[in-house]
């Protein structure tokens, strides 16, 4: 599906990619991780044909520079930074759909599933949306079409827990038909989404490891937390995850998306001294979906 063969990229005297060799097949869900400046975004831009480079980059045997339209027709892309587009939301969706022969209504339906009110925002310039709203629309454009390759650069960074849960379900619907390259500077953000981890450091690949593919992307966990004493800061944080409090806000219950378990436990770690007990168990899928708006 994807081949990087001895890929080198320089910006003047600065060598950002230093002979990268990497092959990604269909069915691979790859976490591309590394600190800021490791070369992740540059590698993605070479893949999309935005940069010239030394070596070879191929997508299904095609060069993304020389056959860019054919390559991009296969790719659903979510950038790390939303472009400063002044185009109205609905016009942007229709324009994006026209470029790849997709159904704009399908893209709008995905946006609604993610919690974006398309009727409210359809005439608003894209650049005027909030960060989370922009991210939802860009994800909807990428996932609301038939893509053989999904390239996602920090895709869930601005999403609330509900939208993240739905995003994971959308990825689950495509995991058998598309290769996925998911870039992040934090492995815990994407670890449960992938079956392979590739780490970059200063333009080199320093790790390429297969990982256990044990998490159902559409799964949910039922979580119960008991506190030693109520705490307003904890109540606000856990309320953002739509947990329900009882016993004078000493006990909390709610659902967590299966792939979000590490991120959720990282949030709880900030309040470790307050927590008397915590339990997490696989939840009934239908009941969990009914509890999450938009699913």
């Amino acid at each position: 599906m994807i081949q990087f063969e001895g890929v080198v990229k320089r910006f003047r005297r600065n060598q950002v990619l230093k002979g990268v060799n990497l092959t990604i097949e269909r069915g691979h869900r790859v976490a591309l991780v590394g600190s800021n400046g490791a070369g992740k975004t540059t590698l993605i831009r070479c893949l999309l044909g935005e940069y010239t480079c030394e070596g070879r980059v191929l997508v299904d045997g095609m060069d993304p520079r020389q056959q860019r339209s054919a390559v991009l027709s296969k790719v659903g892309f979510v950038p790390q930074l939303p472009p400063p587009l002044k185009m109205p939301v609905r016009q942007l969706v229709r324009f994006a759909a026209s470029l790849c022969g997709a159904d704009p209504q399908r893209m709008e339906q995905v946006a609604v599933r993610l919690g974006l009110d398309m009727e409210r925002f359809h005439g608003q310039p894209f650049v005027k949306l909030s960060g989370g709203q922009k991210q939802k629309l860009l994800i909807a454009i990428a996932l609301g079409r038939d893509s053989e390759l999904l390239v996602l650069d920090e895709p869930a960074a601005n999403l609330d827990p509900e939208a993240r849960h739905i995003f994971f379900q959308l990825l689950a619907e495509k995991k058998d038909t598309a290769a996925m390259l998911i870039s992040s500077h934090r492995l815990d953000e994407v670890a449960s989404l992938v079956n392979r981890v590739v780490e970059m450091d200063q333009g080199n690949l320093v790790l390429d490891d297969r990982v256990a593919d044990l998490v159902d992307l559409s799964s949910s966990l039922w979580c119960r937390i008991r506190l030693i004493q109520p705490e307003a800061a904890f109540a606000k944080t856990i309320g953002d995850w739509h947990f329900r409090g009882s016993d004078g806000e000493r006990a909390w219950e709610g659902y967590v998306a299966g792939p979000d378990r590490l991120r959720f436990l990282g949030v709880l770690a900030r309040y470790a001294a307050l927590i008397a007990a915590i339990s997490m168990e696989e939840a009934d899928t239908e009941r969990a979906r009914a509890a999450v708006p938009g699913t």
Side-chain angles (χ1 to χ4, degrees):
M1 181 71 192
I2 304 172
Q3 290 175 279
F4 296 95
E5 299 177 359
V7 174
V8 173
K9 178 60 183 175
R10 294 182 176 88
F11 294 100
R12 296 184 179 178
R13 295 183 180 181
N14 184 24
Q15 189 172 353
V16 179
L17 299 178
K18 303 174 181 178
V20 173
N21 292 289
L22 179 66
T23 299
I24 300 172
E25 303 291 348
R26 284 180 176 80
H28 288 188
R29 302 192 304 278
V30 179
L32 181 63
V33 299
S35 60
N36 290 333
K40 305 185 301 299
T41 298
T42 300
L43 190 70
I44 286 173
R45 289 184 174 178
C46 290
L47 172 63
L48 298 175
E50 296 179 12
Y51 288 161
T52 59
C53 60
E54 300 172 42
R56 287 210 306 173
V57 181
L58 298 173
V59 178
D60 271 355
M62 295 183 292
D63 186 307
R65 290 287 293 181
Q66 298 178 6
Q67 298 158 285
R68 195 169 185 203
S69 295
V71 169
L72 293 182
S73 70
K74 297 175 176 287
V75 179
F77 175 51
V78 178
Q80 179 181 8
L81 299 175
L85 299 173
K86 296 181 180 179
M87 193 180 296
V89 165
R90 182 155 291 167
Q91 184 181 344
L92 175 59
V93 170
R94 290 175 178 171
F95 173 73
S98 70
L99 294 178
C100 57
D103 181 357
Q105 289 187 345
R106 185 174 162 196
M107 293 179 176
E108 290 192 14
Q109 288 167 358
V110 174
V112 170
R113 281 182 66 181
L114 287 164
L116 184 64
D117 187 341
M118 289 299 293
E119 290 303 316
R120 176 184 173 191
F121 294 113
H122 74 271
Q124 187 163 331
F126 175 80
V127 73
K128 296 293 186 180
L129 299 179
S130 70
Q133 291 162 352
K134 290 175 183 175
Q135 197 76 351
K136 290 175 183 178
L137 188 63
L138 292 173
I139 289 171
I141 289 172
L143 301 188
R145 48 170 294 200
D146 295 322
S147 302
E148 298 176 46
L149 170 62
L150 292 173
V151 181
L152 313 171
D153 198 351
E154 302 281 1
N158 292 315
L159 297 183
D160 56 83
E162 283 182 9
R164 287 173 65 90
H165 194 168
I166 296 161
F167 171 61
F168 300 144
Q169 292 175 2
L170 291 165
L171 290 185
E173 294 168 8
K174 292 184 175 288
K175 70 183 182 71
D176 296 325
T177 59
M180 300 183 192
L181 182 62
I182 306 173
S183 175
S184 178
H185 67 284
R186 291 181 54 184
L187 180 57
D188 63 340
E189 288 281 336
V190 295
S192 298
L193 301 176
V194 302
N195 53 22
R196 186 177 171 190
V197 176
V198 171
E199 184 176 358
M200 296 189 69
D201 183 43
Q202 297 183 359
N204 295 299
L205 295 190
V206 295
L207 174 72
D208 185 354
D209 197 13
R210 301 295 176 92
V211 296
D213 193 8
L214 300 178
V215 177
D216 179 353
L217 295 181
S218 61
S219 66
S220 295
L221 302 169
W222 177 245
C223 181
R224 301 176 180 85
I225 304 166
R226 177 160 287 278
L227 302 181
I228 296 171
Q229 63 185 41
E231 170 60 51
F234 181 86
K236 183 180 185 305
T237 298
I238 205 70
D240 291 340
W241 290 76
H242 300 280
F243 272 52
R244 296 185 297 273
S246 60
D247 188 23
E249 296 192 341
R250 287 183 175 85
W252 295 87
E253 295 183 334
Y255 290 99
V256 177
D260 241 357
R261 66 185 74 196
L262 284 178
R263 183 170 180 267
F264 180 70
L265 289 173
V267 170
L268 293 186
R270 303 201 301 261
Y271 303 96
L274 279 173
I275 296 175
I278 178 173
S279 65
M280 301 176 77
E281 60 189 47
E282 291 292 331
D284 176 80
T285 302
E286 292 303 317
R287 182 182 172 193
R289 287 188 175 185
V292 179
T295 61

